[in-house]
Amino acid sequence: MAAIGTDWRMVDGVATAWFDAPSLVEGAALTGRIADLSPEAVVDLRATGLRVRLDHDEHADAVSAAARDLGLAADPAALQQLGVVLESARPSALSGFWQRALDYAPGEDGGLVDPLRRDPALRIAPSTEDRPLRNRLHLDVVRPAAAVEQAGLGEASGPFGVCHADPDGNEVDLVPGGALDARTGTADWQAVFSAMACYRITAPARQRDLVAAAAALADARGFPLLVDVRPGLVVLDSGKDQWVDDAHGLELDFLDLAADLQTAARGLGGTADPELPRFAQLFLDAADVAAVRAFWIAALGYTPDRRAGATDIHDPRRLNPVLVFQELDASETQRRRQRNRLHVELVVPSDLAQQRLAAITAAGGRLLDGSEDRWRLTDPEGNEMVLVGGA
């Protein structure tokens, strides 16, 4: 593994690097080189660069050399991983519920992982503390309608009829998505808060060609398309709400771009998998939305949604989950005082952990306890986050 001070860091147990790129096309060039070097690499291509994750570090130096050859520099400060931890006296009773809700598989240390390596990771930790009231934090998950039905979580509740609770009462809004549009030119696309098309494509050369074609089409329109590359799979994604006109602020009809991307994918032998699109975000109830939202913007280095009235904040690189805030009735004093049964876990490179800890406390975070590489903090209303340095 490359030493600290070079391009690569261990983040949540995985050798990870971020390379800045001025465009999708230039990032796609490095993505193609990586596919040649390490076909099992996990690459998340964005308009400002790409994140690369390697299960085996033997190709790390070669990937870095390819990046330098293309004039792309690494930025370890961009690396972070945001996950969710559920605390329960009976972890095994919760596991099946969340596997079905998220379409995840069992991982290590009580964790659940997405086989396609999307976020957020979820872990169920043992706890004996009694916390009977509703959490102030829950997940929103959007999947195709057929997948929602197949998950079999039982009868939903709530004002929108999409809320489900696990045996401990932890909630998820499991929302059915649908077709992006009625026109046949976008039949491969699903609206799951973002617009998404997932293409199975087995030939590595055609996979590289699809990434390059998608990058060129998006760059030509100035659209910050998200392109996730996995072995045998390319995911094209608008990002949450970015296919909606007032979200991206461009003179662009996203449906036209989606149709062109679909044509390119099918022309290269890509086959859309309608079961795979999935979007997940975190929803936080707060008595003082402005103060709590400001804390999380600073703590996570996130960016506020540009639309008036939207409380969303998002990772500027669109790698980690969106957070959304809604007002909590200030009279619910007992619920506000109770510790949530779930919290977020933020993993950053070990050599940058102290810097991030200082930023979180400067933003109003209260340090509850800590060790050499792990610190438990709260936001202004007592919602907890755990900061982890390194693996």
Side-chain angles (χ1 to χ4, degrees), residues 35-36 199-214 229 232-234 264-271:
D36 290 334
Y199 288 100
R200 301 285 188 183
I201 184 164
T202 55
R206 292 195 171 191
Q207 188 180 49
R208 293 194 300 271
D209 288 347
L210 175 54
V211 172
V229 184
L233 180 72
V234 176
R266 290 186 176 189
L268 289 165
T271 302

Side-chain angles (χ1 to χ4, degrees), residues 206-230:
R206 292 195 171 191
Q207 188 180 49
R208 293 194 300 271
D209 288 347
L210 175 54
V211 172
L217 287 166
D219 273 353
R221 292 166 169 85
F223 187 81
L225 188 70
L226 318 182
V227 184
D228 296 340
V229 184
R230 305 294 186 263

Side-chain angles (χ1 to χ4, degrees), residues 10-80:
M10 294 301 292
V11 178
D12 206 19
V14 179
T16 309
W18 169 269
F19 296 97
D20 288 324
S23 68
L24 283 165
V25 166
E26 291 177 75
L30 179 55
T31 302
R33 297 271 195 100
I34 293 167
D36 290 334
L37 292 166
S38 179
E40 300 302 311
V42 171
V43 180
D44 303 302
L45 174 61
R46 303 294 184 259
T48 56
L50 61 159
R51 178 177 65 180
V52 186
R53 289 178 282 179
L54 301 173
D55 287 332
H56 305 286
D57 58 15
E58 60 187 292
H59 300 295
D61 289 341
V63 171
S64 291
R68 287 192 297 272
D69 186 51
L70 293 168
L72 307 182
D75 181 7
L79 300 176
Q80 65 178 30

Side-chain angles (χ1 to χ4, degrees), residues 133-137 169-170 285 335 339-342:
L133 303 180
R134 288 182 64 212
N135 293 313
R136 300 183 301 281
L137 180 66
N170 304 302
D285 296 343
R335 185 178 167 214
R339 285 185 64 210
N340 291 314
R341 292 181 299 276
L342 69 162

Side-chain angles (χ1 to χ4, degrees), residues 121-198:
L122 187 144
R123 183 166 60 87
I124 305 174
S127 172
T128 58
E129 186 176 346
D130 183 31
R131 285 168 271 183
L133 303 180
R134 288 182 64 212
N135 293 313
R136 300 183 301 281
L137 180 66
H138 75 265
L139 275 75
D140 282 355
V141 178
V142 192
R143 297 173 62 192
V148 169
E149 183 175 356
Q150 189 174 19
L153 298 186
E155 187 174 350
S157 62
F160 302 104
V162 295
C163 182
H164 299 266
D166 71 14
D168 281 358
N170 304 302
E171 293 176 349
V172 58
D173 281 359
L174 184 56
V175 182
L180 180 64
D181 189 68
R183 68 181 77 173
T184 57
T186 59
D188 296 347
W189 290 81
Q190 293 268 330
V192 288
F193 284 10
S194 63
M196 194 178 300
C198 303

Side-chain angles (χ1 to χ4, degrees), residues 251-272:
E251 294 295 326
L252 167 73
D253 183 344
F254 182 81
L255 295 176
D256 290 340
L257 174 58
D260 289 346
L261 290 165
Q262 175 173 304
T263 298
R266 290 186 176 189
L268 289 165
T271 302

